[in-house]
């Protein structure tokens, strides 16, 4: 806008263009004529001319890279060089001095999906971070825990936490928050979007209604168990017992309803948004005047989305252009997910004191190849990784929580889990390589009422 909070921004942006941008870009080696911005009517027109110049430099450099790749000889690069210290940093510093921006505040730059950068690009980004110019610019770099390197362009140095950056695992923040902040945030997001985008004023719970008959049956079972064995027992067992009461080939448990959708998203807001969009789109095609998502549509889209998640693994495994080593990792990950999903269902069907399981943990070191499979699972969003104090009192245990969006596939309860399955590194390897033997081991363990402490102690004693 030309008028921003009562301030005429156009003179500032024009001055920025002529006295800062043009000067810095010339110093970088740009020798062509610059667009004239003297007749620009809005700040947007000025910044659009800046984009034109930068895109021209990018195109010129891209052509050079193509010639360098295809040509028989090395071609010297004679175009402009816009480095961080002599171009980007002073540009950002000048921008933070605009009168309409908060005083003495840094500019935030978001670099999304940084794990898609190649190694040289990642090193360049790390070099920017290493300047620690947080008073002027702060970088928010997002990655699916698959960042390629922490080295800078100077091969002898790398960035370290917490000196150069602070690492935040969003899944840690959301899934471990006892105050349910994630659920509150999602509820607020849903209701705001419905109101301001679709002009629908309702609650998230009413827009994503639960299966009323199912919830009534679960509540009645809860009351019976509470009267017989107390609140805690009823809280742990009522929904599980209801799920087991459902007979027949067609599994009829309903995963719809706002609360279950929040749990199914596993603290990953993208899961919730993608799934909600599919539901809204289908509901709107059936009835343009959408006021809520029918439970039938919710359940159908949830099951389809859950299947789609695993289908991506199959597509990757069948990708003929993928490195065979990577294909092997994806195949191992699929085997591990299958073994664990069926294991958690076995526990749900058992008489174990902790029937609701959705995670496993191990102590000590693990085979590097197995570790790579687990790392791949985290980067693909199929596992959430964290650590906790070992029950043996020795060091930290490595914990992996399976994405609860997979609940419909393995007929699991997506609500908050209470038990962790202890596995030795050898048993994790068995789950990957031989599902049948692994499930036989789990069944025998359940039959003999082995608990986590026994298994963990056996691993230490052995």
């Amino acid at each position: 806008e030309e008028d921003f909070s009562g301030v005429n921004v156009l003179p500032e942006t024009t001055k920025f263009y002529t006295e800062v941008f043009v000067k810095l870009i010339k110093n970088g080696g740009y020798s062509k004529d610059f667009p004239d911005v003297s007749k620009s009517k809005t700040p947007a027109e000025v910044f659009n001319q800046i984009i034109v110049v930068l895109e021209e430099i990018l195109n010129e450099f891209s052509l050079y890279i193509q010639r360098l790749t295809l040509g028989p000889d090395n071609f010297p690069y004679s175009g402009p060089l816009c480095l961080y210290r002599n171009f980007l940093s002073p540009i950002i510093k000048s921008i933070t001095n605009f009168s309409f921006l908060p005083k003495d505040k840094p500019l935030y730059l978001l670099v999304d999906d940084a794990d898609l950068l190649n190694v040289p690009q990642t090193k360049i980004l790390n070099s920017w971070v290493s300047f620690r110019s947080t008073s002027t610019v702060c970088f928010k770099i997002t990655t699916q825990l698959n960042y390629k390197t922490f080295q800078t362009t100077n091969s002898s140095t790398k960035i370290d936490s917490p000196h150069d950056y602070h690492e935040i695992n969003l899944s840690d923040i959301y899934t471990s928050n006892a105050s349910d902040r994630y659920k509150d945030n999602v509820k607020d997001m849903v209701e705001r979007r419905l109101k301001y985008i679709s002009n629908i004023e309702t609650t998230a719970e009413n827009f994503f209604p639960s299966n009323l008959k199912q919830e009534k049956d679960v509540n009645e079972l809860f009351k019976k168990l509470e009267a017989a064995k107390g609140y805690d027992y009823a809280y742990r067992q009522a929904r599980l017992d209801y799920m087991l009461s459902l007979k027949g080939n067609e599994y009829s448990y309903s995963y719809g309803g706002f609360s279950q959708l929040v749990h199914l998203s596993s603290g990953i807001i993208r899961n919730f948004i993608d799934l909600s969009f599919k539901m809204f789109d289908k509901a709107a095609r059936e009835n343009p005047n959408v006021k809520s998502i029918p439970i039938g549509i919710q359940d159908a889209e949830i099951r389809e989305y859950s299947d789609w998640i695993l289908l991506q693994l199959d597509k990757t495994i069948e990708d003929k252009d993928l490195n065979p080593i990577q294909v092997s990792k994806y195949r191992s990950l699929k085997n591990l997910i299958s073994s664990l999903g069926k294991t958690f269902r076995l526990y749900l069907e058992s008489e174990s004191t902790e029937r609701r399981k959705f995670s496993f943990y191990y102590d000590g070191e693990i085979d590097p190849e197995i570790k790579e499979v687990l790392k791949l699972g985290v980067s693909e969003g199929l596992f959430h990784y964290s650590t906790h104090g070992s029950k043996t009192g020795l060091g930290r245990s490595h914990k992996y929580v399976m994405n609860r969006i997979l609940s419909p596939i393995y007929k699991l309860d997506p609500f908050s889990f209470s038990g962790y399955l202890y596995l030795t590194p050898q048993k994790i390897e068995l789950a990957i390589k031989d599902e049948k033997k692994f499930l036989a081991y789990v069944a025998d363990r359940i039959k003999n009422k082995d608990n986590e402490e026994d298994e963990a102690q056996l691993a230490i004693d052995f």
Side-chain angles (χ1 to χ4, degrees):
E1 297 292 337
E2 183 174 353
D3 189 290
F4 191 93
S5 299
V7 178
N8 188 355
V9 182
L10 184 59
E12 280 191 85
T13 50
T14 303
K15 183 178 180 181
F16 166 78
Y17 176 85
T18 56
E19 297 184 9
V20 178
F21 175 75
V22 170
K23 178 181 178 182
L24 289 174
I25 207 79
K26 281 184 176 180
N27 290 342
Y30 188 82
S31 57
K32 297 182 180 180
D33 294 334
F34 288 88
D36 182 16
V37 299
S38 61
K39 296 181 180 179
S40 297
K41 296 180 180 180
T42 65
E45 292 182 13
V46 177
F47 281 108
N48 282 336
Q49 295 305 322
I50 293 176
I51 293 173
V52 168
V53 174
L54 294 178
E55 285 184 340
E56 185 173 331
I57 294 174
L58 176 61
N59 291 335
E60 183 179 335
F61 186 74
S62 297
L63 288 173
Y64 163 75
I65 293 297
Q66 291 177 25
R67 288 194 295 268
L68 192 64
T69 304
L70 301 175
D73 302 311
N74 290 331
F75 295 96
Y77 180 71
S78 57
L81 291 173
C82 301
L83 304 179
Y84 179 80
R85 187 188 291 273
N86 66 4
F87 179 74
L88 184 57
S89 180
I91 282 283
I92 292 173
K93 188 172 183 179
S94 180
I95 289 175
T96 60
N97 289 327
F98 281 146
S99 62
F100 58 87
L101 292 178
K103 295 297 180 185
D104 302 320
K105 301 293 183 181
L107 188 72
Y108 280 81
L109 292 182
L110 171 62
V111 182
D112 200 10
D113 294 327
D115 42 355
L116 299 181
L117 299 174
N118 59 34
V119 173
Q121 290 170 333
T122 306
K123 288 183 177 181
I124 291 171
L125 181 58
N126 293 340
S127 297
W128 296 359
V129 173
S130 70
F131 280 104
R132 303 183 190 176
S133 49
T134 52
S135 61
T136 303
V137 58
C138 290
F139 294 96
K140 182 179 180 182
I141 303 171
T142 68
T143 172
Q144 278 285 68
L145 301 181
N146 196 25
Y147 203 59
K148 291 183 175 61
T149 180
F150 291 94
Q151 295 293 133
T152 66
T153 51
N154 183 344
S155 58
S156 63
T157 61
K158 66 185 184 73
I159 55 174
D160 294 300
S161 175
H163 307 292
D164 299 303
Y165 67 92
H166 182 60
E167 186 172 321
I168 300 173
N169 190 318
L170 292 181
S171 293
D172 269 343
I173 293 174
Y174 292 135
T175 58
S176 64
N177 193 323
S179 65
D180 267 342
R181 189 175 69 182
Y182 173 67
K183 183 178 180 181
D184 291 341
N185 288 345
V186 175
K187 175 179 169 65
D188 185 59
M189 179 198 71
V190 168
E191 292 171 0
R192 284 173 178 264
R193 289 193 176 198
L194 288 174
K195 181 178 180 180
Y196 293 108
I197 297 177
S198 302
N199 198 30
I200 300 174
E201 292 200 43
T202 187
T203 65
E205 292 82 359
N206 287 337
F207 191 75
F208 295 105
S210 302
N211 184 311
L212 297 181
K213 182 182 183 305
Q214 173 175 292
E215 294 309 304
K216 179 183 177 182
D217 291 343
V218 172
N219 287 334
E220 288 178 356
L221 183 56
F222 177 91
K223 291 176 182 177
K224 290 179 181 178
L225 294 177
E226 183 182 24
K229 297 187 178 183
Y231 176 87
D232 289 342
Y233 182 87
Y235 176 78
R236 293 196 307 270
Q237 308 295 347
R239 190 169 295 273
L240 306 184
D241 285 352
Y242 173 80
M243 296 176 83
L244 291 180
S245 72
L246 302 173
K247 305 297 182 181
N249 295 328
E250 186 65 29
Y251 192 57
S252 56
Y253 180 80
S254 172
Y255 286 93
F258 177 70
S259 291
Q260 285 201 110
L261 287 174
V262 170
H263 285 283
L264 286 169
S265 70
S266 289
I268 303 173
I269 193 63
R270 184 180 297 175
N271 283 350
F272 187 93
I273 293 174
D274 287 349
L275 187 51
S276 298
F277 169 76
K278 293 178 184 297
M279 291 178 182
F280 189 92
D281 182 61
K282 186 171 184 179
R285 279 187 271 120
E286 294 186 3
N287 178 14
N289 188 26
V290 178
K291 296 300 180 183
S292 65
I293 307 296
I295 190 64
I297 290 179
Q298 290 188 59
D299 284 327
E301 291 301 319
I302 288 168
R303 295 179 191 282
E304 185 174 326
Y305 191 76
S306 185
D307 290 337
W308 177 82
I309 293 292
L310 282 191
L311 184 61
Q312 303 315 299
L313 289 180
D314 290 329
K315 286 184 177 180
T316 304
I317 291 169
E318 295 168 3
D319 188 345
K320 296 180 180 180
D321 291 330
L322 196 64
N323 185 303
I325 295 176
Q326 281 297 103
V327 171
S328 177
K329 289 180 183 178
Y330 276 96
R331 184 175 286 111
S332 295
L333 176 59
K334 182 184 176 183
N335 294 343
L336 179 60
I337 291 290
S338 179
S339 292
L340 290 173
K342 293 174 182 177
T343 291
F344 297 148
R345 177 64 188 186
L346 286 177
Y347 270 97
L348 188 150
E349 296 172 351
S350 74
E351 296 181 358
S352 170
T353 55
E354 292 184 339
R355 296 162 59 195
R356 184 191 285 127
K357 294 182 185 292
F358 233 101
S359 61
F360 72 93
Y361 72 100
Y362 71 90
D363 294 317
E365 294 298 319
I366 198 167
D367 184 89
E369 290 185 7
I370 305 301
K371 192 172 184 179
E372 283 297 310
V373 173
L374 294 175
K375 183 179 178 182
L376 177 63
V378 174
S379 69
E380 291 290 328
L382 294 171
F383 288 122
H384 159 63
Y385 171 76
S386 64
T387 64
H388 63 74
S390 172
K391 290 190 175 183
T392 65
L394 302 175
R396 304 286 294 177
S397 295
H398 304 273
K399 183 175 71 177
Y400 290 85
V401 184
M402 195 169 76
N403 192 322
R404 279 170 278 184
I405 194 63
L406 301 177
S407 296
I409 294 177
Y410 300 106
K411 302 179 181 179
L412 302 174
D413 175 14
F415 281 93
S416 297
F417 46 82
S418 57
Y420 305 120
L421 176 67
Y422 177 81
L423 294 174
T424 64
Q426 292 78 13
K427 289 298 185 289
I428 297 173
E429 184 173 0
L430 181 64
I432 291 174
K433 295 183 176 179
D434 195 328
E435 179 184 294
K436 187 175 180 180
K437 286 186 178 180
F438 177 76
L439 293 177
Y441 152 75
V442 171
D444 185 63
R445 177 169 162 177
I446 292 173
K447 179 181 178 182
N448 292 298
K449 294 182 169 57
D450 284 343
N451 59 40
E452 294 160 11
E453 288 82 356
D454 293 337
E455 290 288 322
Q457 191 59 52
L458 278 172
I460 296 296
D461 292 344
F462 180 79

